[in-house]
Amino acid sequence: MEFERQLFEETMRDLRSRVRDASRTQEALQDLSVQVESEDGLISMTVGPPGHIRGLRFDPRAKRLDLETLAERIVEMVNNASDILKEEQARQVQSLMPDFPVDEIMADFTRMNAPPDAR
């Protein structure tokens, strides 16, 4: 009976530890952001999960660009930043929770951060 109690207590400690790890990982992923800049340095942005633009800056010289070019660069930058962000999130999960399947955790995180109608 004592062995079973010790096993139960050890399992509960492990479970609590894993829940704490998951919570810390979730917080780290929410706070993560990446900064990207256009090749010519005229546009810079900060993008956070799940690909939301948190900041957007234009060099005054960007006024010389036509609107179509400007829009294309912004779309390209958002897509690149989102890809970089996903890679960084996967690295963070792997480092914080090495015993867990990164793909499954990232899929859950993506679902949790999707708009309600996309879940």
Side-chain angles (χ1 to χ4, degrees), residues 8-9 14 19-20 32-34 37 40-41 44 54 66 69-70 72 75-76 80 91-93 107 118-119:
F8 174 76
E9 288 174 358
D14 184 54
V19 168
R20 280 191 303 273
L32 191 63
S33 64
V34 296
E37 186 174 273
D40 57 12
S44 61
R54 293 184 176 168
D66 62 271
T69 301
L70 189 61
E72 287 173 359
V75 168
E76 181 181 320
N80 288 340
R91 275 194 291 278
Q92 291 256 346
V93 168
R119 290 182 192 161

Side-chain angles (χ1 to χ4, degrees), residues 34 36 75-85:
V34 296
V36 294
V75 168
E76 181 181 320
M77 290 174 66
V78 169
N79 290 337
N80 288 340
S82 293
D83 291 343
I84 293 167
L85 184 64

Side-chain angles (χ1 to χ4, degrees), residues 57-69:
R57 296 194 198 308
F58 297 98
D59 183 285
R61 295 173 295 154
K63 292 178 187 177
R64 298 181 198 149
L65 299 174
D66 62 271
L67 291 178
E68 186 175 326
T69 301

